[in-house]
Amino acid sequence: GSSARADIAVGYFFISGFEQVAAELGVLKKVRILVGRTDRQVVEQVALGLQQAEALQAKLEADSTVRRSQQEALAAQAITHIAEGVAALPQTEGSERAVAALRDMVASGKVEVKAYLRSTLHAKAYLCWYENHAEPGAAVVGSSNFTLAGFTGNTELNVRVTGDAEMAELKRWFEELWADSKDISAELVAQLDRSWP
């Protein structure tokens, strides 16, 4: 629509989800994606579409705090997991295009990706900012991760948010997390280059 920029905060980022929205993101000027922490087992489950919500929640809450010394390792892990999601994809034309599109968008700076390492990122928010519009923007806030299951599952609950005060509050929330996160864009491009023929 009239959306010019987007800020996205998700617990998990999977190429299967990206493929669904690659074209829409492509028309935006700037997209900032904030990803949370995951571990390999969780990633494999999600990649296979098995979102066992309760077990997953318990696991994430068990390791929700992190020391500085662990941050580098966790950032590297976040990148590895996106790459594993890529590797696990069936190599269809669509998924191949999506990976190439993501790589190019990140390499050109159109898409920036950061990892939030301080604790589990429970909130999921998709903020769209308009230009030359009566409204500052609109947001979808809820339980959907950036996965195919997240976009198509019927157990997800998402609420559309609009309004100046609400959007200002969401902007403040996102900026705070963004400032406190580690940029993984360059490493992600390198990893995508390695993990796809």
Side-chain angles (χ1 to χ4, degrees), residues 140-157:
V140 173
V141 179
S143 66
S144 287
N145 271 303
F146 217 122
T147 63
L148 191 52
F151 290 141
T152 56
N154 57 1
T155 56
E156 302 292 348
L157 179 65

Side-chain angles (χ1 to χ4, degrees), residues 69-130:
S69 60
Q70 287 178 283
Q71 292 204 353
E72 291 299 320
L74 286 166
Q77 228 181 14
I79 297 158
T80 304
H81 293 148
I82 293 175
E84 283 170 0
V86 174
L89 271 186
Q91 295 202 355
T92 63
E93 247 180 80
S95 63
E96 210 161 317
R97 269 200 308 274
V99 172
L102 177 62
R103 185 227 168 270
D104 292 346
M105 285 183 206
V106 177
S108 71
K110 177 184 265 207
V111 171
E112 259 181 277
V113 186
K114 280 190 176 189
Y116 181 69
L117 307 173
R118 194 171 294 286
S119 64
T120 308
L121 193 57
H122 289 300
K124 317 293 183 295
Y126 298 80
L127 319 180
C128 290
W129 303 102
Y130 306 141

